[in-house]
Amino acid sequence: MKTIPRQGLSDSATSSEGMVVTPHWLATEIGAKVLKQGGNALEALVAASAALSVLYPHFCGLGGDAVWLVADRTGSATVFLGIGQAARFIPDLSVIPLRGPLSAMTTACLVDSWGQVLDYSHSHWQGRFSIAGLLDDAVALAQNGFDVSPSQEFWYRFRESEVTQWPGFQGIFFRNGIQRQPALASSLRAIADHGVREFYEGELGARIASSLRAAGSPLTAADLASTRTLREQPLMQRYRDVTLLAPPPPTQGATTLAIMGVLSSFDLGRLDPASAEFYHLLVEAVKQAFLDRPSIADPAFTDVNVARLLDGRRLAAKARSIELDRALPWPQPFQTADTAFLAATDSAGRSVAMLQSLYFDWGSGVVAGDTGILWQNRGAAFSLDPASPNCIRAGKRPFYTLNPGIALKDGHPCLLYGTQGADGQPQTLALLLSLLIDHGLDPLAALSRPRFLLGRTFSDSRDSLKIEAHAGGSLIAELADRGHQVGLIEPFSQLGGHAGIIHLRPDGTIIAAHDPRSDGGAIGL
């Protein structure tokens, strides 16, 4: 067994019996413990997800959402979209705030998704764990406390001038030292005692709704009660000798698959992965796919033509439009978000990749009264433009950046992958998938390569191509010669996202790693 205990000291883990990766080493240990006790991959990730909701309050929590991608050795695959919907009564707005009560306009579906995936675990994977037993460690962490992670410290410092304006925030979350959350422990204990619907229809749900309304959110008890996880079929895209799976709209899973469909027209394996030509093709394929991204929205409200987005002839035409020596202007306004990626596989090859999120770091900044629950700001992902497919409507789910992935080879899961980072998610995944599939890198080597990020960031408002500085001066200069407006970010930057990978090899060996940019790691049985 090998663990990645803290940022900057990364190592990979190898096993033949099972694996867990998360962005915090304690959550990874908790998930691995469930596997050791005979639990399956879904049960392990519910426990790890709950723990991470305590350990990473700046990125995820009970007031947020989750997207799950599930597959087994038969190739059977399912998506669970734990995405909250907009309030039934939308206030009249001239602009949707990025923070505060009016950004907290969507319900939170993470907790309901725990119940849905455990039902699937029991009916399809012979699962035996209940929600009560899987929340014990999360309750203990919230009650007894833990060391504030470097990631939490970074994002607290980054927002330190803003947190005084966030209702109920100060005094609960800290910049450093020991973080305790007794109110959150009580909320978790209520869910453990009464089941996941306690969050939506029980006494806890009533307190949440009352507190949000008192803070100025439009959400009501009826909105919480109508929150349900959707079970869907994954989207599929062939790339080389594997089939890539991604969640359907309203997520941007189709965007990630479209990038890979464009790249399939190029022989990336012959290119040096440290070359400007390699990075240029990746960047230009991202731009071509992002041209179509504004059409993605909630399919219950908008007709999303996924078949057109992933049509092979159309993607090949996009590939032909790429100029090998000239950059296309960046076509999209940048959207920011922060997320946590978790993955697990068990001894039976049953595999799960999932992402959970509050949207922006620290979400809306609104804590729901005395529940200790920090609410997401997914309402800020909607548009007020009536012509936009993503225009806000009562009960609608917003365009969603979360898109965990699984690759199948010969019908079996072979790669589990995902990353934090909103607009950066498809970009990072394209880089990682090419490094893994075209160049045969192991997970840690792929995660350690320099990353790029198209668009604006917190520190640079230009729509430029950000490159981690360890890419090297000559590569950066060559990209600039091709017309890219290049900006440097520090090596292993927090802006590069926190990604994780599990590689299930044909010989039965499992190799995994979580990002050297994160506080997490991989544990194999």
Side-chain angles (χ1 to χ4, degrees):
M1 177 194 302
K2 294 182 180 180
T3 307
I4 309 171
R6 57 191 181 275
Q7 186 175 9
L9 295 179
S10 298
D11 197 359
S12 60
T14 303
S15 173
S16 60
E17 296 298 323
M19 188 73 68
V20 177
V21 297
T22 85
H24 194 289
W25 66 275
L26 277 173
T28 306
E29 284 189 343
I30 287 166
K33 183 174 73 172
V34 173
L35 290 184
K36 291 174 190 175
Q37 293 172 342
N40 59 45
L42 275 169
E43 294 167 326
L45 278 202
V46 169
S49 166
L52 202 63
S53 297
V54 178
L55 293 162
Y56 253 35
H58 53 300
F59 281 179
C60 60
L62 305 192
D65 289 338
V67 175
W68 305 69
L69 184 52
V70 178
D72 61 26
R73 280 183 180 159
T74 70
S76 175
T78 302
V79 174
F80 293 92
L81 299 178
I83 300 174
Q85 80 281 359
R88 297 184 182 191
F89 303 103
I90 305 296
D92 186 18
L93 298 170
S94 58
V95 64
I96 300 176
L98 297 180
R99 303 280 190 183
L102 291 179
S103 72
M105 288 194 293
T106 63
T107 61
C109 203
L110 169 66
V111 174
D112 183 74
S113 77
W114 291 342
Q116 292 296 314
V117 301
L118 286 179
D119 285 348
Y120 184 91
S121 164
H122 294 151
S123 61
H124 290 74
W125 289 3
Q126 297 78 51
R128 58 185 182 83
F129 280 81
S130 68
I131 189 65
L134 295 174
L135 296 189
D136 285 346
D137 286 306
V139 171
L141 283 169
Q143 188 67 51
N144 300 329
F146 53 91
D147 290 325
V148 167
S149 67
S151 179
Q152 179 174 332
E153 180 180 5
F154 175 90
W155 289 107
Y156 192 104
R157 287 181 183 274
F158 198 90
R159 302 296 182 189
E160 202 155 17
S161 64
E162 302 173 47
V163 299
T164 57
Q165 306 165 41
W166 297 349
F169 187 93
Q170 284 191 296
I172 295 181
F173 303 106
F174 305 131
R175 184 175 68 181
N176 48 39
I178 301 298
Q179 173 80 70
R180 292 185 177 87
Q181 301 175 71
L184 182 62
S186 295
S187 294
L188 283 163
R189 196 174 293 112
I191 296 166
D193 290 343
H194 303 292
V196 299
R197 295 308 299 176
E198 169 68 15
F199 186 91
Y200 303 94
E201 298 168 273
E203 188 270 338
L204 174 60
R207 286 166 50 217
I208 291 170
S210 175
S211 299
L212 289 174
R213 292 288 287 178
S217 167
L219 291 172
T220 66
D223 291 321
L224 292 183
S226 63
T227 302
R228 292 291 189 282
T229 300
L230 300 180
R231 182 177 169 186
E232 304 285 355
Q233 290 301 303
L235 306 179
M236 298 185 181
Q237 173 71 39
R238 192 74 179 170
Y239 185 76
R240 313 306 184 209
D241 61 348
V242 302
T243 299
L244 305 176
L245 307 182
T251 83
Q252 63 176 341
T255 301
T256 297
L257 298 187
I259 296 169
M260 303 312 296
V262 172
L263 289 173
S264 67
S265 292
F266 301 95
D267 185 5
L268 295 182
R270 70 172 180 81
L271 300 178
D272 179 354
S275 68
E277 186 178 4
F278 176 72
Y279 277 87
H280 175 78
L281 283 176
L282 287 170
V283 170
E284 295 306 297
V286 167
K287 291 175 182 176
Q288 290 295 326
F290 269 61
L291 289 169
D292 293 331
R293 201 174 67 145
S295 67
I296 298 175
D298 187 345
F301 289 77
T302 304
D303 182 20
V304 184
N305 192 340
V306 174
R308 177 178 177 271
L309 297 179
L310 299 180
D311 179 76
R313 291 169 298 181
R314 191 165 176 272
L315 295 178
K318 284 180 173 287
R320 289 192 297 272
S321 73
I322 292 175
E323 297 184 53
L324 300 182
D325 60 353
R326 184 55 43 190
L328 180 76
W330 175 233
Q332 290 286 303
F334 183 77
Q335 298 185 64
T336 182
D338 286 295
T339 307
F341 173 71
L342 306 85
T345 190
D346 58 34
S347 59
R350 297 168 297 202
S351 300
V352 187
M354 70 89 76
L355 284 155
Q356 59 188 57
S357 175
L358 293 174
Y359 195 34
F360 284 22
D361 56 283
W362 303 110
S364 66
V366 177
V367 177
D370 63 356
T371 67
I373 297 169
L374 182 63
W375 212 260
Q376 65 183 352
N377 64 328
R378 275 290 165 182
F382 280 115
S383 170
L384 291 177
D385 180 359
S388 170
N390 195 41
C391 183
I392 191 168
R393 294 284 185 272
K396 188 175 182 179
R397 291 169 172 82
F399 167 78
Y400 226 76
T401 51
L402 306 190
N403 69 124
I406 293 178
L408 305 179
K409 188 171 184 177
D410 300 325
H412 311 309
C414 65
L415 289 170
L416 317 180
Y417 50 90
T419 185
Q420 165 231 14
D423 282 6
Q425 287 190 31
Q427 303 180 46
T428 296
L429 294 183
L431 171 66
L432 294 176
L433 286 170
S434 182
L435 292 171
L436 292 163
I437 298 168
D438 295 314
H439 295 279
L441 271 62
D442 65 61
L444 181 59
L447 291 167
S448 300
R449 299 290 301 186
R451 293 195 190 146
F452 66 88
L453 178 63
L454 279 163
R456 302 171 188 175
T457 66
F458 302 115
S459 56
D460 185 347
S461 61
R462 298 172 301 159
D463 281 320
S464 59
L465 173 62
K466 279 69 173 178
I467 301 280
E468 289 184 320
H470 60 301
S474 61
L475 181 147
I476 291 164
E478 288 183 50
L479 288 172
D481 288 342
R482 284 175 161 86
H484 296 280
Q485 184 183 10
V486 183
L488 289 182
I489 54 178
E490 63 184 12
F492 300 99
S493 168
Q494 292 293 309
L495 300 176
H498 294 175
I501 299 167
I502 296 178
H503 181 194
L504 294 86
R505 296 171 51 175
D507 65 0
T509 304
I510 308 167
I511 302 175
H514 209 281
D515 212 304
R517 299 159 186 82
S518 79
D519 310 300
I523 293 180
L525 303 190

